[in-house]
Amino acid sequence: MSDHRPDPRRWQVLVLLSAAFLMTVLDSTILLTALPSIEAGLEVSGAAVGWTVTGYGLAFSGLLLCCGRLADVVGRKRVFLAGMVLRVLSALFCGLAPSVELLIAARALQGVSAAIIAPAALSLLMTAFPDGPERNRALGIWGGLGGVGATSGLLLGGVITDVLGWRWVFLINVPVGLAVLAVGSVLLREARAAGRGRLNVAGALTVTAALVLLVYTIIELPSRGWTGATAAALGSSVALFAAFWLIETRSAAPLVPARLLRSRSLVGGNAVVLAAGMAVDGMLITLTGYVQQVMGWSALRFGLVAAVMTVASVAGGLSGQRAALRFGVRRVAMVGATLLVVGCLLLTQASAAGSVGLLLVGQLIFGVGMGATFVCAQIAALSATTEADSGLAAGVVDTSFSMGTALGIAICTSVAAAGSAARVDGHRAAFGTAGLLALLGLAAAAWLLPRDSARSPRGSAERDTEPTAPTCR
């Protein structure tokens, strides 16, 4: 790790970057409660409006790796500010879109901006804080914000749509983005990887196409099923990943250096992020369907109840990073994943009449587990990364989470759809499926995370890298 001096304004930097990160996380969920209003306002069908979510997800997931490495090469502050400019413009275009076609295009542009901002912001955080307890505390706050954005977006979307109208779900980003731009241009200091003057363009294009095609296949799977077209799309994605691997092995400046894949901490951390992402978004999409389709709640009422999970996730993230310093990342991540499993199992007891108490307890346990699991996985994945690769490592973490959310939504939506939308059996099965996905996260934490990844990150970085191992021990 770098021995650079810590930024004296690092806590102010954390506040600024957290605001930008929260914007990108909120955009992935805040729109969900506004979809019916958009449908009515633009006079279009649900299938067309659904592409406002799909287009964003494809652009975001496909470009994270490329944008993470771009931040290392071009400069993290420069890339971050460019992403914020695009964020403000895309939010304005979304809010003023006169048709669904233009709204979908603007949402895709918003996804591009999120892919630029997320890894650049996380890598700027890593360069502002020295490796050790302070960085772990900062990552604890960062991980807690992920839980806040994932759950509070449902509440904010309902409030903003009911009070101001659906266009303000997007326009609210404009003043916030302008404020982040103004403060960031003064507060942030530039950081780029020494000696990394170019980007592997062929590798970036290939892996972006592979990721976009894979995510699209996953998103469309619940509605299309396993057809010949689905198999062909999946096969094409695999072929593109193989082409990417060949390009990487022959490149003097690979997009993803092989040394990263030899870090047990990075591989294990990303495996936990992937599995936890599947469980969290799989549970959230199931819970949203259950309370609206079975219990008949409004989006606003559900958002208010979901605030319990938001608060719990923040508490879990902050307490998780403190516990990780004392007991180790691996143990705390295992506890967090166990709480995810328990929360999902409680929700499998949901009835057609519904029980507010059951929902509150299940969300409380799940929220604490979500915060603890994500922050520990991030600490593990990033602690063994050199400063030169921090942008790429952040992009890998964000990609793992994005892939996990797409898979979790697709899997749990398919399971829930096997039962009647107006009955509880399909939702119970989907809650149980989310619990199984969380169990995968528990297994990944137990088997892949190094035992000492929290107590001595600098030392673990040296121990976790083995020249002969292709992945993890």
Side-chain angles (χ1 to χ4, degrees), residues 28 44 66 97 125 224 232 268 317 321 344 356 389 464:
S28 64
V44 293
C66 177
L125 182 148
R224 293 177 180 268
Q321 64 84 17
C344 289
V356 176
D389 293 324
D464 291 342

Side-chain angles (χ1 to χ4, degrees), residues 288-307:
T288 303
Y290 168 69
V291 298
Q292 292 182 344
Q293 296 170 0
V294 178
M295 298 181 67
W297 284 13
S298 67
L300 180 58
R301 183 181 180 187
F302 170 56
L304 291 171
V305 173

Side-chain angles (χ1 to χ4, degrees), residues 28 209 223 347 393 463:
S28 64
S223 58
L347 292 173
R463 288 189 293 272

